[in-house]
Amino acid sequence: MQPEYPLPVDLFDTLDKASPIPLYYQLATALEQAIRDERVPPGSRLENEISLGNRLGLSRPTVRRALQELVDKGLLVRRRGIGTQVVHGRVTRNVELTSLYEDLGQSGQTPTTRVIAYELGTADDTAATELGVAVGAPVLHLTRLRCADGVPLAVLENTLPEDFTDITREELEARGLYQLMKARGVSIRVANQRIGARAASAVEGELLEIRKGSPLLTMSRTAFDNSGRAVEYGQHVYRPDLYSFELTLVDR
Amino acid sequence: MQPEYPLPVDLFDTLDKASPIPLYYQLATALEQAIRDERVPPGSRLENEISLGNRLGLSRPTVRRALQELVDKGLLVRRRGIGTQVVHGRVTRNVELTSLYEDLGQSGQTPTTRVIAYELGTADDTAATELGVAVGAPVLHLTRLRCADGVPLAVLENTLPEDFTDITREELEARGLYQLMKARGVSIRVANQRIGARAASAVEGELLEIRKGSPLLTMSRTAFDNSGRAVEYGQHVYRPDLYSFELTLVDR
DNA sequence: CAGTGGTCTAGACCACGAA
DNA sequence: TCGTGGTCTAGACCACTGC
């Protein structure tokens, strides 16, 4: 069996039992950073959870919860009777429940938005089904062009329920949609997405500065807030040379 | 506050404490089925976890774990001080760690496979990086055409490490790759995927019976087994009119 | 056999939201 | 003030692995 890798104790000096941040989260974050920095090498076998808990002054369930977080992110692999190992190979980021606007900002690009259409209308069949409102109910229709460092990247079409009609064009050009919704006390908890591809229409080609008929990456999404209500339906298209989706799948 | 929805007790008659199947899993499965069948209506508020545990003869952590499974799947939403609610709106399936072959079978279609290329070769730069082997190391290169009910659906290119060279063309035409690997004692635990789009090449167009230059949905994936070793690198292209990816994102 | 992770219990205290 | 979920503890038994 592979010998266990002694986790540097100083990794966990940052654990603060008085902090409002949960202990399992503090531990998971510290360990994740150590793995990403390769201070804990790929493939190495970690110390068992009981002994780790003793060294850290944490109970076993707390340690387990921290490790499970990293298993779910695809960074660790555990086997009964064997132990816990760091996955070989590059660790990648993941599709998360963030907006494109924030994603771009975090990857060092400057996002800008142009509002193409902004209209109070009524829900068509698709929008009504996705948002769980009646056909013909008042909704807000948005079409935005999102650019990164000035290069057109995506056309974002969204339908929102009536209570977001106080969002202005100016706000939409300055911030991401999720930020604006959050500022109104609505935070997104769950989203169902479908990712596909199709050819660009003439209008899409013009907006994205590509030829009509070229491939587009498509994503349609319905998002729900923390009470389970549908608060957004979107149909987005992306330039595939500039954007793609990354995700990590874990068997559990 | 919304009144709580009394979970039908008979839903949980199937709980079997003697079964080797974990109790939290039995409960999660039973409840998921009840939600999908709308025996528990969308938006309804569930009974609190303590009382649920008492009624079922389970401890609170066990009940919590079952509920958390469904939160992670996007079926439930929980709020402190409020309670647990079923998400509104359609419940969708998810991208899971299964092969296309199994996916098609489960959705009632008949998958078939034609092996286009089968060669023992050496790892190029990309494959070596992804699989974590040396450049020039012996690997198995596969190209397969996957059809559903006789209609060409995807071209699957894969690179496997040396120890899978006993997989035959005949096996590949009869089963999915993951099934063959599992039969050899290798089960896939983690996979990193990137989903994008591009135009079809002439060869791809011919295989998939579409025009050269039409849009393709692309997926590249590196998969790891339960010891964290990379066991597969694949570059797949799909006909976007016949295939798309569904996923559920949850904020945690 | 000894060591590992997987499951389960019984209870405690806390933070948040609603009444 | 009360009920809810969120966190944490201390311990138990089991299943699987490798020696």
Side-chain angles (χ1 to χ4, degrees):
Chain A
M1 193 200 309
Q2 177 173 160
E4 82 183 24
Y5 183 87
L7 286 180
V9 197
D10 60 284
L11 276 181
F12 310 112
D13 284 355
T14 53
L15 282 190
D16 176 7
K17 293 208 177 192
S19 160
I21 299 168
L23 289 166
Y24 78 86
Y25 187 82
Q26 294 183 43
L27 175 55
T29 307
L31 189 49
E32 173 170 358
Q33 202 50 58
I35 292 171
R36 291 190 187 274
D37 296 347
E38 302 211 4
R39 299 203 301 279
V40 181
S44 58
R45 175 169 155 266
L46 265 50
E47 167 181 4
N48 77 67
E49 38 188 44
I50 309 267
S51 125
L52 189 54
N54 289 341
R55 283 210 298 143
L56 297 170
L58 296 176
S59 71
R60 188 182 168 204
T62 303
V63 173
R64 275 185 67 76
R65 179 154 182 193
L67 295 177
Q68 191 57 46
E69 294 267 316
L70 300 192
V71 171
D72 291 344
K73 286 191 178 181
L75 277 73
L76 294 180
V77 167
R78 323 190 73 188
R79 281 179 293 170
R80 180 153 38 182
I82 305 282
T84 304
Q85 284 177 284
V86 179
V87 169
H88 285 86
R90 284 186 294 93
V91 181
T92 66
R93 282 203 349 269
N94 209 348
V95 177
E96 279 173 17
L97 202 37
T98 53
S99 68
L100 177 57
Y101 196 88
E102 293 157 23
D103 282 353
L104 291 173
Q106 286 203 350
S107 65
Q109 304 178 73
T110 307
T112 53
T113 308
R114 205 175 95 210
V115 177
I116 307 287
Y118 178 106
E119 40 189 31
L120 283 148
T122 54
D124 64 13
D125 208 47
T126 307
T129 306
E130 295 297 332
L131 289 180
V133 299
V135 176
V139 292
L140 179 59
H141 265 292
L142 302 175
T143 308
R144 294 170 294 160
L145 178 67
R146 174 66 46 80
C147 302
D149 293 335
V151 180
L153 179 70
V155 179
L156 316 172
E157 274 195 60
N158 287 93
T159 306
L160 306 182
E162 197 179 9
D163 40 330
F164 293 106
T165 46
D166 62 324
I167 295 179
T168 65
R169 293 179 81 111
E170 289 68 37
E171 284 179 307
L172 286 165
E173 308 226 318
R175 304 209 159 267
L177 182 56
Y178 282 15
Q179 289 175 29
L180 297 174
M181 295 176 83
K182 192 164 193 176
R184 283 162 177 75
V186 174
S187 62
I188 277 139
R189 260 313 168 66
V190 182
N192 294 325
Q193 298 192 172
R194 178 179 284 277
I195 300 173
R198 63 172 169 80
S201 69
V203 172
E204 287 163 344
E206 204 168 321
L207 287 170
L208 294 172
E209 298 174 7
I210 55 178
R211 279 198 304 278
K212 177 188 174 195
S214 356
L216 287 180
L217 186 59
T218 68
M219 189 266 281
S220 64
R221 167 169 65 192
T222 308
F224 302 85
D225 70 2
N226 55 13
S227 73
R229 182 181 74 125
V231 290
E232 180 225 349
Y233 172 62
Q235 298 188 86
H236 299 180
V237 300
Y238 303 85
R239 270 184 59 169
D241 54 337
L242 300 176
Y243 195 76
S244 60
F245 294 93
E246 271 185 29
L247 51 146
T248 300
L249 303 180
V250 179
D251 186 23
R252 0 195 297 141
Chain B
M1 193 199 310
Q2 177 172 159
E4 84 183 22
Y5 184 86
L7 284 182
V9 198
D10 60 282
L11 277 182
F12 309 112
D13 285 352
T14 52
L15 282 190
D16 175 8
K17 293 210 176 191
S19 160
I21 299 168
L23 288 166
Y24 76 86
Y25 188 83
Q26 294 183 42
L27 175 54
T29 308
L31 189 49
E32 173 170 358
Q33 202 51 57
I35 293 171
R36 291 192 185 274
D37 297 347
E38 302 211 6
R39 298 203 301 279
V40 181
S44 59
R45 177 171 153 263
L46 265 51
E47 151 180 23
N48 77 66
E49 36 186 50
I50 309 267
S51 125
L52 189 53
N54 289 340
R55 282 211 298 144
L56 297 170
L58 296 176
S59 71
R60 188 182 166 203
T62 303
V63 173
R64 275 185 68 76
R65 180 153 183 192
L67 294 177
Q68 191 57 48
E69 294 267 316
L70 300 192
V71 171
D72 291 345
K73 287 192 177 180
L75 275 75
L76 295 180
V77 167
R78 323 190 72 187
R79 282 180 294 170
R80 181 153 38 181
I82 305 282
T84 304
Q85 285 177 281
V86 179
V87 169
H88 285 85
R90 281 188 294 94
V91 181
T92 67
R93 280 204 351 269
N94 210 349
V95 178
E96 278 173 19
L97 203 35
T98 53
S99 68
L100 178 56
Y101 196 87
E102 293 157 24
D103 281 353
L104 292 174
Q106 286 202 350
S107 65
Q109 304 178 74
T110 307
T112 53
T113 309
R114 206 176 94 209
V115 176
I116 307 286
Y118 178 106
E119 39 187 32
L120 284 148
T122 55
D124 64 12
D125 208 46
T126 307
T129 306
E130 296 296 333
L131 290 179
V133 299
V135 176
V139 291
L140 178 60
H141 265 293
L142 301 176
T143 307
R144 292 169 295 159
L145 177 67
R146 175 66 45 81
C147 302
D149 294 335
V151 180
L153 179 69
V155 179
L156 316 172
E157 275 194 61
N158 286 92
T159 306
L160 307 182
E162 198 180 6
D163 39 329
F164 293 106
T165 47
D166 63 324
I167 295 179
T168 66
R169 294 178 80 110
E170 289 68 35
E171 285 180 306
L172 286 166
E173 309 225 319
R175 304 208 159 269
L177 182 55
Y178 281 13
Q179 289 175 29
L180 297 174
M181 296 177 81
K182 192 162 194 176
R184 281 160 179 78
V186 173
S187 60
I188 277 138
R189 257 319 166 62
V190 183
N192 293 326
Q193 299 191 171
R194 179 180 284 275
I195 299 173
R198 63 172 168 79
S201 70
V203 173
E204 287 163 345
E206 203 169 320
L207 288 170
L208 293 172
E209 299 175 6
I210 55 177
R211 279 198 305 278
K212 179 189 172 198
S214 16
L216 287 179
L217 186 59
T218 68
M219 189 267 280
S220 63
R221 166 171 62 194
T222 308
F224 302 85
D225 71 2
N226 56 13
S227 75
R229 181 181 75 125
V231 290
E232 181 226 350
Y233 172 61
Q235 298 187 87
H236 299 183
V237 301
Y238 304 85
R239 270 183 60 169
D241 54 336
L242 300 176
Y243 195 77
S244 61
F245 294 93
E246 270 186 29
L247 52 146
T248 300
L249 304 179
V250 179
D251 186 22
R252 359 198 295 139

